[in-house]
Amino acid sequence: MKIKTELYNDHFQNYKRYNIPRANLVLADIPYNLGNNAYASSLEWYVDGDNKKGESEKAGKAFFDTDENFKIPEFMHFCSKMLIKEPKERNKAPAMIVFCAFQQLNEVIEYGKRYGFMNHIPLVFVKPTSPQVLKANMRIVGATEYALVLYRDKLPKFNNDGRMIKNWFNWKMDNSYPKIHPTQKPIPTLKELIQIFTDVGDVVIDPTAGSGSTLKAAQELNRHSFGFEIKKDMYEKAQKEMLSIAQLSLGL
């Protein structure tokens, strides 16, 4: 089976021009809208990651100029159009998984309902460490990530050999992959989700592709994958360093 992997330097709203197939799974890490506090929980806030050396030039900065104005309704509209229709068979329904900040959970749930995703399952990812320990006055530090499984009516496809799937996962890392994006999700964690919610040969779409890690994870699991990344510099890094494919920049 020949697996197709495509990353477009464009906004996901322009998806119609690319004639991509509908997805069995949309897997996205949406901007957390942290604005100028983006590096607040990152080692990069401090010089050499050491709070004793003072704040770095990244303190008080945003990751990208798109982080403050990401529109969840536009995102949900795209996802509602790009997922396959629910089939009659059991254990074949599509789903979307959205990584988001804890503060965004209710907003994502409510906008999801407006676009037909009437059901949700919260997921929690437990990290072994947290850069927030650098904050000298903090005693409870953030060492979790959050996501939502959103689906329409039928329970989505679950592949786990009939075993129950808990709503928490370990944050599985593999540092052999390049680190391109400051909020890049680890590929082993993405692969675990893709394996559960899709079959070999299914289609995975990432509307906010960033480093291309979702596409890489899908590619290694023999799933077709398509992604959109609006920032040209990030798109080029993802193409070259993560996906190792050369394509024309067709969008912006």
Side-chain angles (χ1 to χ4, degrees):
M1 177 187 298
K2 186 175 181 181
I3 296 300
K4 194 168 187 179
T5 304
E6 298 280 357
L7 177 63
Y8 304 104
N9 177 212
D10 205 348
H11 197 289
F12 55 74
Q13 288 178 317
N14 298 322
Y15 69 92
K16 289 183 179 179
R17 71 174 64 174
Y18 302 108
N19 195 32
I20 63 178
R22 293 182 183 270
N24 305 86
L25 175 67
V26 169
L27 178 54
D29 178 20
I30 67 173
Y32 290 8
N33 289 351
L34 296 173
N36 292 334
N37 201 32
Y39 287 94
S41 62
S42 170
L43 291 165
E44 297 174 73
W45 184 277
Y46 300 103
V47 175
D48 298 331
D50 185 350
N51 63 343
K52 295 179 181 178
K53 294 184 179 181
E55 296 178 352
S56 71
E57 61 180 12
K58 293 183 177 180
K61 300 289 181 63
F63 294 134
F64 298 107
D65 54 12
T66 55
D67 282 348
E68 294 185 70
N69 56 11
F70 181 79
K71 295 179 175 58
I72 294 178
E74 294 178 1
F75 168 78
M76 288 295 178
H77 175 74
F78 166 83
C79 295
S80 68
K81 297 294 184 183
M82 286 312 301
L83 278 177
I84 63 170
K85 294 181 179 179
E86 289 192 338
K88 294 180 180 179
E89 300 92 338
R90 292 185 60 187
N91 200 38
K92 295 294 182 181
M96 59 184 295
I97 301 174
V98 183
F99 283 94
C100 61
F102 178 82
Q103 294 83 354
Q104 292 174 305
L105 289 170
N106 286 337
E107 186 178 11
V108 171
I109 291 168
E110 291 307 313
Y111 276 118
K113 290 179 179 177
R114 296 187 192 184
Y115 288 90
F117 300 100
M118 305 308 296
N119 302 284
H120 69 274
I121 303 169
L123 303 180
V124 178
F125 299 83
V126 182
K127 295 180 175 180
T129 60
S130 171
Q132 290 187 3
V133 297
L134 291 173
K135 297 295 185 176
N137 294 325
M138 294 180 68
R139 293 297 178 267
I140 297 177
V141 299
T144 54
E145 291 275 346
Y146 301 92
L148 287 164
V149 179
L150 301 174
Y151 60 99
R152 297 179 181 124
D153 296 311
K154 294 181 180 180
L155 277 171
K157 181 184 296 183
F158 288 119
N159 296 324
N160 202 38
D161 297 326
R163 302 189 304 274
M164 290 289 184
I165 299 171
K166 296 183 176 67
N167 66 347
W168 66 270
F169 294 79
N170 288 313
W171 195 248
K172 297 179 180 178
M173 302 289 292
D174 184 344
N175 293 325
S176 66
Y177 293 97
K179 179 66 183 295
I180 300 172
H181 194 286
T183 64
Q184 182 174 318
K185 300 299 182 281
I187 287 178
T189 296
L190 297 174
K191 289 174 76 170
E192 185 173 16
L193 295 172
I194 291 170
Q195 284 180 309
I196 290 172
F197 290 93
T198 66
D199 295 321
V200 170
D202 279 355
V203 175
V204 179
I205 292 179
D206 186 348
T208 55
S211 66
S213 55
T214 297
L215 278 64
K216 182 69 171 179
Q219 184 182 60
E220 291 187 353
L221 293 172
N222 292 316
R223 274 72 165 171
H224 303 285
S225 56
F226 303 86
F228 295 85
E229 173 51 44
I230 196 169
K231 303 296 290 186
K232 188 170 184 179
D233 58 341
M234 182 57 60
Y235 161 83
E236 291 176 345
K237 284 183 179 180
Q239 292 281 66
K240 181 180 179 181
E241 299 178 32
M242 183 65 76
L243 302 176
S244 300
I245 52 178
Q247 295 172 327
L248 294 176
S249 177
L250 301 175
L252 301 177

